[in-house]
Amino acid sequence: MEWYLAKLVYRIICGNGEHHAQFDEQLRLIHAEDELHAFNKAQLTGQKEQENFFNRANHLVQWKFINVTELHKLEKLTDGAEVYSRIREEDDGRAYQHSVHAKAGYLLEQCTDKFLETV
């Protein structure tokens, strides 16, 4: 088992979403057999931790998981620990989400290639 640092990206939507697009980028520690399993585990973590709640103004706030954009192998640390988080505001939320999915697709392809080389 190896340790990886994965960047998970969430979109934050408040109320009807008529505001600058906001994104939270989190770095998470993932413990997995290899890069492919780390990528999949990071995606599952992101999906499980989506949430909805009402803020003080009684507006619905949604944290929607977008995807995993980075994955780095590390030394042993604590599984699932958040080590970094940053909220971003973007003028073009769709373009940002598209780039997140493109990075995730490229990362998945790299992980799959490395996994297949070991089989």
Side-chain angles (χ1 to χ4, degrees), residues 36-89:
L36 181 59
H37 287 93
F39 180 82
N40 289 328
K41 191 173 181 180
Q43 283 191 316
L44 287 173
T45 299
Q47 291 167 359
K48 286 190 309 188
E49 295 188 7
Q50 297 182 97
E51 66 177 318
N52 298 321
F53 59 91
F54 288 92
N55 64 14
R56 286 185 253 172
N58 206 30
H59 294 123
L60 177 64
V61 178
Q62 302 172 71
W63 282 62
K64 293 186 175 188
F65 176 65
I66 305 300
N67 222 321
V68 177
T69 60
E70 295 181 35
L71 190 64
H72 306 279
K73 189 174 176 181
L74 299 175
E75 297 299 319
K76 289 187 178 183
L77 298 169
T78 305
D79 189 23
E82 180 179 332
V83 294
Y84 173 81
S85 174
R86 180 175 79 132
I87 295 175
R88 296 176 56 138
E89 289 192 9

